[in-house]
Amino acid sequence: MGELVDAFRQVTETSAFAGGPFVARFESEFAAFCGTRYALGVGSGTDALWLSLLALGVGPGDEVVTTPNSFMATAEAISLCGARPIFVDVDAQTYTLDPQQLEAAITLRTQAIIPVHLFGQTADMDPILAIARRHGTPVVEDACQAHGAEYKGRKAGSMGVAGCYSFYPGKNLGAFGEAGAITTDESELRAKVQVLRDHGQAAKYFHATIGWNARMDGIQAAVLSVKLRRLNASNTARRAHAKLYDELLADESRVIRPKTGKHNTHVFHIYAVRVKNRDEVLQRMAARGVNCAIHYPVPIHLQKAYAFLGHGPGSFPVSEQCSQEFLSLPMYPELQPDQINFVVKTLKECLSE
Ligand SMILES: Cc1ncc(COP(=O)(O)O)c(C=O)c1O
């Protein structure tokens, strides 16, 4: 707490509220953490996705391939560029973009591919990157749920042309409000985002292009610098909690536990099991004092906002089944083993009720 109060004091004393030295410091710390040359602080994860696509030149008439098993923002960022989201279903084991189905979705209009590193593990990146390379298509990683996750020893956000992070307060690395970042090795992309996030100005009041206000707050950057130092420890705690959940649920045939891909280091932003009658189970758990969540009750292709794409039920069966069965159990670093035991005991009772 003392370090956070100090961080607030420093920002206040220097009035470095929008952009400025605290953002620059966090950017270099976060780039070092992710193993990229650069990180760029922006206003949110949605900004990170949107500005990455804009910087890559995605616009009206283009297509961007992603998965419907994600938070709405992934597709929203594509639509905000004027492009069309093209969905590919997820792998039934890891719930991330199924590389086997990717190639069929790529057309001459495809300008980017966005694998989503859902729940804290990256998509199976090597086959995705190989397909992307064959088609000359940039890969933008949606790493908004995967702070510190690794694939074959490489950090989320360091494998595509850009990685997009959210620091929404509930994330593994959470700010005290809204914030996000783009990680990249590309100096040209970095330069474009620096202009786009600041009203298209390269020099103050000289606007070369139309951008937006997507700057990171100094306060958020200062808080994130403090919290970044604890990220590895809190991810280790999350993995230990997931292991205990796994052990306690191992003999429970009514529950499908999350699986970690063989090349992945998972950071368990979310520990989602799959159960039948999910909605009833959720209500029974809540009645017994255990609040669970659903990520997400409606896959993106069936959201009202995307009705115009014309996808009906059955279009992406794995994502649809997940949306009916996912139940996110409590997961945060401070969880105690007796709490996990209580959650699992309660879940078993609710499944039998
Ligand atoms: C997978 C995914 N993508 C994008 C976002 C958007 O991030 P933000 O809420 O910071 O705009 C989120 C945030 O929840 C997310 O989980």
Side-chain angles (χ1 to χ4, degrees):
M1 191 65 186
E3 280 178 282
L4 290 167
V5 173
D6 276 350
F8 271 91
R9 189 178 302 116
Q10 285 169 24
V11 175
T12 310
E13 281 171 2
T14 53
S15 296
F17 293 111
F22 296 96
V23 174
R25 185 183 67 188
F26 174 68
E27 287 177 337
S28 60
E29 291 166 353
F30 195 62
F33 177 83
C34 292
T36 55
R37 285 176 73 192
Y38 311 113
L40 294 139
V42 290
S44 67
T46 311
D47 280 348
L49 287 161
W50 177 46
L51 297 192
S52 297
L53 295 176
L54 280 182
L56 290 169
V58 175
D62 294 337
E63 295 177 350
V64 176
V65 179
T66 191
T67 138
N69 190 38
S70 182
F71 179 57
M72 178 70 174
T74 313
E76 214 170 28
I78 299 167
S79 298
L80 280 174
C81 295
R84 190 178 179 86
I86 302 295
F87 296 118
V88 168
D89 211 349
V90 291
D91 171 73
Q93 304 292 316
T94 61
Y95 314 133
T96 58
L97 192 148
D98 183 355
Q100 310 249 18
Q101 300 184 51
L102 174 58
E103 195 134 35
I106 296 178
T107 72
L108 290 175
R109 284 194 287 273
T110 308
Q111 291 300 327
I113 299 165
I114 310 184
V116 180
H117 302 334
L118 198 78
F119 295 165
Q121 74 174 330
T122 76
D124 190 7
M125 287 303 287
D126 276 353
I128 293 172
L129 291 167
I131 293 167
R133 217 173 294 120
R134 258 201 316 277
H135 291 267
T137 311
V139 172
V140 173
E141 299 172 62
D142 184 337
C144 287
Q145 300 188 2
H147 314 70
E150 289 182 11
Y151 176 85
K152 296 187 180 174
R154 288 175 279 163
K155 280 266 165 41
S158 71
M159 294 172 274
V161 65
C164 299
Y165 279 92
S166 164
F167 304 119
Y168 183 78
K171 301 295 185 190
N172 289 31
L173 179 59
F176 280 9
E178 306 282 351
I182 297 166
T183 49
T184 187
D185 287 334
E186 308 280 328
S187 46
E188 204 182 311
L189 187 126
R190 175 197 190 216
K192 284 187 179 157
V193 170
Q194 279 173 327
V195 170
L196 285 169
R197 72 178 171 183
D198 195 18
H199 300 289
Q201 58 187 351
K204 202 167 167 78
Y205 302 134
F206 290 86
H207 306 266
T209 184
I210 295 170
W212 193 250
N213 175 1
R215 297 179 296 244
M216 180 185 265
D217 288 349
I219 294 267
Q220 304 308 345
V223 164
L224 288 166
S225 284
V226 172
K227 293 181 78 178
L228 181 59
R229 298 200 276 275
R230 296 184 174 79
L231 180 58
N232 283 334
S234 64
N235 282 343
T236 302
R238 285 171 185 269
R239 269 193 294 277
H241 302 334
K243 187 162 173 279
L244 182 54
Y245 270 130
D246 280 347
E247 283 164 13
L248 296 172
L249 287 166
D251 62 349
E252 180 49 80
S253 60
R254 294 166 297 180
V255 171
I256 300 176
R257 288 174 279 128
K259 293 187 186 61
T260 301
K262 66 171 184 279
H263 304 301
N264 288 79
T265 305
H266 207 312
V267 294
F268 291 99
H269 172 55
I270 286 167
Y271 185 92
V273 296
R274 284 167 55 195
V275 293
K276 301 286 178 208
N277 303 325
R278 187 267 322 277
D279 292 343
E280 286 89 333
V281 174
L282 179 88
Q283 276 174 13
R284 288 177 206 147
M285 298 279 283
R288 289 162 191 253
V290 179
N291 286 317
C292 299
I294 301 173
H295 301 93
Y296 299 92
V298 180
I300 300 176
H301 67 286
L302 297 181
Q303 294 285 354
K304 196 171 160 200
Y306 278 118
F308 71 92
L309 292 176
H311 299 299
S315 308
F316 302 100
V318 180
S319 296
E320 288 167 34
Q321 192 173 358
C322 285
S323 71
Q324 284 159 20
E325 297 181 354
F326 272 153
L327 180 72
S328 305
L329 304 183
M331 172 55 82
Y332 46 90
E334 299 78 9
L335 261 183
Q336 296 299 315
D338 58 334
Q339 292 175 304
I340 295 173
N341 271 284
F342 181 72
V343 172
V344 171
K345 179 174 144 298
T346 309
L347 175 60
K348 289 182 178 178
E349 288 165 8
C350 291
L351 287 165
S352 304
E353 210 173 282

